[in-house]
C-alpha cells in the first residue's frame, strides 16, 4: 500500500477497525451475562458451520488487553465495537442491570481513551437478548420502547466519554437473514411477512433512540448518532435492457432505500417498495392489505434521525429483472423485489462465497449516497476481505485489496467531493463469522483458535494498514505556527 496517496484524506480522517460483541467476546455465561439469540441459535446446532459457537470466540471478555495491544500496534485513531445487550441487561430490560457488564465496557472505553483512540459504539449488532425474543423480539411492537430504554441506559452510562453512536448494525441483514431466510438468529423463515415487520420495528426503535439522545443527552454530551446500513453497489446485468435498469433501482431500494429513505429522504419507505408490496399483497390475497407496515403519526418520525451516514460495504452485484420468473407468484421478499443480484464472472471471489471483490463499487456507492440521500459526512463503518482455508500470514491479496479500496475512497473524496470522514476495516481480529463459524477469517490479526491462549498475530495486511495510518499522520499533520 506504499504507493497510496494519503494526502487526499483529511487530517482528521478516522482510521479504524471494527468488531462486534458476539463475534469476539466469548464469556457467554460469565459474570451474569444473559443468553442472546445467537447463543440459542448456535447451541441448537445445525445452523452454523460444524456447529461452531461464540461461547469462547476470541475471549475478548477476558483478553481485552490483548485486543488493546493490537489496536495500538495498528495505530488506529478509532475503534468500533458493539455492546452485548444481554451482558449489560441480562433479560433485556433495565429492571436488572449487570454491574460486571457495565464495568467491562467502562474499562474498554477508558483504556481506549487513555491510549488516544476514539470509541465508536454500536448498541445492537445482531445479538438480541433471548428473553426479548421470547416476547417475539423484533416482530413485536413493544420492542421499540424496550430498545429505547436500553439505549437511554447506555447513553447515561457511557455517553460522558462516547461521542459516536450506532444504534443498529445492518437492519437489512437482521431482518432478511434472521426473519425471511432463517439463516441467521433467530432463524425465522416467514417469507414476505416478518421481514418487513422486523425492519419496521428496527426503524421505530432507532428513531426513538435517536430522539431520546437528541433531546436528553446531546445538549450535554454533544455526541452524534446514526445507524449502520449495508449495501452492495448494483448495476444492470444487461446495460441495454430497460427491465434490468428498473430492476437495479428496485434492488437498491429494497436494500439501502428500505432504511435510508425513511431516515434521510421522506420519512417513509421508497415508493417502489410501497407500490409493489401493496399490489402484490392484494394479488396474493393477503387479508390485512399491504404487508409493509405504515409509520404512525403518533410516534416520532424516522426522518432526520441520523447525524452522519454509516455505510458497510463489501461487494457489488449485476442485477437481472425477475418479474417474469419463478418468483413471480411467490410470497417472498425477492418476489416483491422482482430482481436478482448476480456476481459478474470477471470479479474475483475472496474466501466467503458472497464476497466478490469490487473496490470501485465503493466509490460509486459513496457518490450515489451523496447524490440520492444526504450530504452529511459518511463513515465507512465496515469493509473487508476474508480468507478461507489454509492461513496465510503474508496475505498479499488482502494487502492489494486494501490498497485498491483505499485508493477508491481517496478518489471519492478528491474527485467526487464526497465527504468521507472515516474508514473502519472489518475486522480487527479473526472472529466468529456468524453461520460460517471460524472457517472464514476477516481479521487484520490472525487468531489461533486451536490453542486456549488464542494468540493474536498481525497479518501482512495489518502491517500495511498500520503503515498507511502512520504515513497519513506524518504527511498531514496540521502545521504548527
Ligand atoms: C456484516 N451476507 O454482516 C456484519 O456487520 C459483520 O458482523 C460481519 O462479520 C461482516 O459483515 C462480514 O460478513 C454480513 O451474507 C453478514 O451477505 C452476512 C452478509 C453480509 C454482511
Amino acid at each position: 500500500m506504499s504507493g497510496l496517496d494519503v494526502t487526499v484524506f483529511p487530517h482528521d480522517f478516522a482510521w479504524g477497525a471494527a468488531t462486534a460483541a458476539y463475534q469476539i467476546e466469548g464469556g457467554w455465561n460469565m459474570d451474569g451475562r444473559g443468553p442472546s439469540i445467537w447463543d440459542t441459535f448456535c447451541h441448537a446446532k445445525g445452523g452454523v458451520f460444524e456447529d461452531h459457537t461464540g461461547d469462547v470466540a476470541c475471549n475478548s471478555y477476558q483478553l481485552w488487553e490483548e485486543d488493546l495491544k493490537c489496536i495500538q500496534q495498528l495505530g488506529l485513531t478509532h475503534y468500533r465495537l458493539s455492546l452485548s445487550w444481554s451482558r449489560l441487561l441480562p433479560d433485556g430490560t433495565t429492571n436488572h442491570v449487570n454491574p460486571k457488564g457495565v464495568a467491562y465496557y467502562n474499562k474498554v472505553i477508558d483504556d481506549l481513551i487513555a491510549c488516544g483512540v476514539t470509541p465508536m459504539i454500536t448498541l445492537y449488532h445482531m445479538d438480541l437478548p433471548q428473553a426479548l425474543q421470547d416476547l417475539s423480539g423484533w416482530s413485536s411492537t413493544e420492542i421499540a420502547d424496550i430498545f429505547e430504554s436500553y439505549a437511554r441506559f447506555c447513553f447515561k452510562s457511557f455517553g460522558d466519554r462516547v461521542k459516536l453512536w450506532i444504534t443498529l448494525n445492518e437492519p437489512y441483514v437482521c431482518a432478511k437473514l434472521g426473519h425471511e431466510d432463517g439463516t441467521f438468529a433467530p432463524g425465522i423463515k416467514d417469507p414476505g411477512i416478518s421481514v418487513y415487520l422486523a425492519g419496521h420495528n428496527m426503524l421505530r426503535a432507532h428513531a426513538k433512540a435517536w430522539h431520546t439522545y437528541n433531546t436528553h443527552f446531546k445538549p450535554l454530551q454533544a455526541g452524534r448518532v446514526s445507524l449502520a446500513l449495508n449495501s452492495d453497489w448494483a448495476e444492470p446485468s444487461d446495460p441495454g435492457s430497460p427491465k434490468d435498469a428498473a430492476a437495479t433501482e428496485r434492488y437498491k431500494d429494497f436494500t439501502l432505500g428500505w432504511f435510508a429513505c425513511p431516515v434521510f429522504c421522506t420519512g417513509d419507505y421508497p415508493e417502489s417498495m410501497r407500490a409493489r408490496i401493496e399490489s402484490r399483497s392484494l394479488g396474493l390475497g393477503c387479508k390485512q392489505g399491504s404487508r409493509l407496515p405504515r409509520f404512525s403519526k403518533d410516534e416520532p418520525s424516522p426522518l432526520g434521525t441520523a447525524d452522519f451516514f454509516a455505510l458497510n460495504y463489501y461487494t457489488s452485484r449485476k442485477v437481472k429483472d425477475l418479474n417474469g420468473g419463478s418468483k413471480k407468484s411467490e410470497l417472498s421478499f425477492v418476489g416483491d423485489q422482482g430482481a436478482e443480484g448476480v456476481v459478474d464472472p470477471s470479479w474475483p471471489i475472496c474466501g466467503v462465497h458472497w464476497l466478490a471483490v469490487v473496490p470501485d463499487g465503493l466509490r460509486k456507492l459513496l457518490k450515489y449516497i451523496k447524490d440520492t440521500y444526504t450530504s452529511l459526512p459518511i463513515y465507512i463503518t465496515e469493509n473487508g476481505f476474508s480468507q478461507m482455508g489454509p492461513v496465510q500470514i503474508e496475505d498479499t491479496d488482502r494487502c492489494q485489496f486494501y490498497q485498491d479500496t483505499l485508493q477508491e475512497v481517496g478518489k471519492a473524496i478528491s474527485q467526487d467531493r464526497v465527504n468521507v470522514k472515516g474508514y473502519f476495516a472489518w475486522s480487527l481480529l479473526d472472529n466468529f463469522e456468524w453461520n460460517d463459524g471460524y472457517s472464514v477469517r476477516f481479521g487484520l490479526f490472525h487468531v489461533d483458535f486451536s490453542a486456549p491462549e488464542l494468540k493474536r498475530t498481525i497479518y501482512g495486511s495489518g502491517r500495511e494498514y498500520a503503515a498507511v495510518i502512520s504515513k497519513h499522520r506524518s504527511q498531514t499533520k496540521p502545521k504548527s505556527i
Side-chain angles (χ1 to χ4, degrees):
M1 281 187 257
S2 45
L4 185 72
D5 175 11
V6 290
T7 59
V8 297
F9 297 94
H11 76 89
D12 59 349
F13 194 75
W15 294 104
T19 57
Y22 187 74
Q23 296 182 270
I24 65 163
E25 282 182 9
W28 78 280
N29 59 0
M30 273 178 199
D31 291 346
R33 179 185 177 281
S36 82
I37 53 174
W38 271 94
D39 297 305
T40 310
F41 190 76
C42 293
H43 293 161
K45 302 194 187 298
V48 176
F49 176 81
E50 291 184 351
D51 291 330
H52 292 173
T53 75
D55 289 2
V56 179
C58 309
N59 197 13
S60 294
Y61 184 61
Q62 293 182 303
L63 298 177
W64 155 245
E65 266 96 2
E66 297 306 309
D67 295 358
L68 183 61
K69 284 185 204 155
C70 298
I71 291 166
Q72 289 183 287
Q73 197 175 342
L74 293 174
L76 300 181
T77 66
H78 289 61
Y79 177 55
R80 174 175 177 234
L81 69 146
S82 84
L83 306 179
S84 161
W85 186 345
S86 64
R87 193 182 291 292
L88 289 166
L89 309 177
D91 70 5
T93 74
T94 47
N95 298 340
H96 302 283
V97 174
N98 175 20
K100 294 207 168 149
V102 179
Y104 172 68
Y105 293 116
N106 269 331
K107 176 158 174 51
V108 169
I109 293 164
D110 288 345
D111 286 354
L112 286 170
I113 292 173
C115 295
V117 180
T118 304
M120 175 187 272
I121 289 199
T122 308
L123 296 177
Y124 182 74
H125 199 122
M126 323 245 189
D127 49 352
L128 194 74
Q130 182 59 41
L132 298 180
Q133 188 59 44
D134 297 342
L135 304 172
S136 300
W138 290 111
S139 302
S140 81
T141 309
E142 290 75 33
I143 192 75
D145 286 328
I146 300 174
F147 180 79
E148 184 196 15
S149 303
Y150 163 58
R152 186 190 290 267
F153 172 80
C154 296
F155 299 147
K156 209 185 293 176
S157 305
F158 310 117
D160 54 335
R161 291 149 290 156
V162 176
K163 305 298 167 191
L164 287 171
W165 295 98
I166 301 286
T167 55
L168 305 175
N169 180 70
E170 302 192 351
Y172 171 90
V173 169
C174 293
K176 171 80 166 36
L177 277 61
H179 298 76
E180 168 95 4
D181 306 337
T183 52
F184 271 31
I188 294 169
K189 288 190 187 120
D190 180 29
I193 297 178
S194 291
V195 64
Y196 301 122
L197 201 53
H200 190 69
N201 287 326
M202 287 181 205
L203 275 164
R204 291 177 53 240
H206 161 77
K208 282 176 187 254
W210 184 89
H211 281 287
T212 289
Y213 187 85
N214 200 49
T215 310
H216 301 293
F217 294 92
K218 197 172 189 178
L220 276 175
Q221 297 183 350
R224 291 179 292 151
V225 181
S226 189
L227 76 177
L229 302 182
N230 62 292
S231 184
D232 301 343
W233 173 245
E235 287 176 3
S237 181
D238 172 358
S241 153
K243 283 192 167 177
D244 283 359
T248 304
E249 292 313 305
R250 289 198 301 276
Y251 188 88
K252 291 193 271 205
D253 282 352
F254 273 73
T255 48
L256 186 60
W258 181 8
F259 300 97
C261 201
V263 172
F264 294 96
C265 274
T266 63
D268 197 359
Y269 296 111
E271 189 43 43
S272 64
M273 281 185 89
R274 276 248 161 270
R276 284 185 64 90
I277 298 169
E278 182 160 340
S279 74
R280 282 175 44 86
S281 296
L282 292 175
L284 295 166
C286 300
K287 294 198 183 68
Q288 264 90 49
S290 181
R291 289 162 287 123
L292 187 64
R294 290 206 163 270
F295 291 102
S296 159
K297 298 260 178 306
D298 303 330
E299 288 197 329
S301 165
L303 185 62
T305 58
D307 304 314
F308 55 94
F309 198 104
L311 172 69
N312 294 356
Y313 170 81
Y314 285 94
T315 190
S316 291
R317 290 289 183 267
K318 297 279 174 164
V319 179
K320 286 186 174 150
D321 177 64
L322 265 192
N323 270 330
S326 59
K327 310 263 179 196
K328 194 175 173 185
S329 55
E330 197 176 88
L331 180 63
S332 71
F333 179 90
V334 175
D336 292 336
Q337 183 178 234
E340 181 192 22
V342 294
V343 169
D344 186 303
S346 73
W347 294 335
I349 299 289
C350 85
V352 61
H353 64 94
W354 54 267
L355 210 171
V357 182
V358 196
D360 69 346
L362 177 54
R363 175 181 174 188
K364 293 175 187 170
L365 183 58
L366 288 166
K367 183 162 182 329
Y368 174 79
I369 290 168
K370 176 185 142 193
D371 294 343
T372 315
Y373 291 115
T374 185
S375 54
L376 285 170
I378 303 177
Y379 287 88
I380 298 157
T381 38
E382 283 180 32
N383 173 254
F385 182 102
S386 61
Q387 279 190 347
M388 248 173 121
V391 169
Q392 287 171 272
I393 293 289
E394 291 312 320
D395 51 346
T396 41
D397 47 357
R398 185 157 30 189
C399 290
Q400 188 66 46
F401 163 83
Y402 277 116
Q403 149 115 6
D404 294 347
T405 302
L406 290 173
Q407 210 140 37
E408 295 298 329
V409 176
K411 285 186 208 160
I413 296 171
S414 62
Q415 296 178 34
D416 304 336
R417 302 279 159 212
V418 184
N419 186 7
V420 185
K421 293 291 267 184
Y423 176 89
F424 292 74
W426 183 270
S427 173
L428 179 68
L429 306 169
D430 288 342
N431 61 43
F432 176 79
E433 177 50 28
W434 307 118
N435 50 6
D436 288 316
Y438 300 96
S439 67
V440 171
R441 293 173 178 271
F442 270 99
L444 293 167
F445 281 78
H446 173 263
V447 178
D448 180 1
F449 293 108
S450 68
E453 304 79 54
L454 296 158
K455 188 168 179 291
R456 285 85 160 127
T457 307
I458 196 164
Y459 283 106
S461 56
R463 284 200 314 271
E464 290 278 327
Y465 190 47
V468 168
I469 299 171
S470 105
K471 185 173 163 191
H472 179 254
R473 183 171 298 146
S474 65
Q475 293 194 3
T476 61
K477 258 195 218 129
K479 307 258 175 308
S480 50
I481 315 162

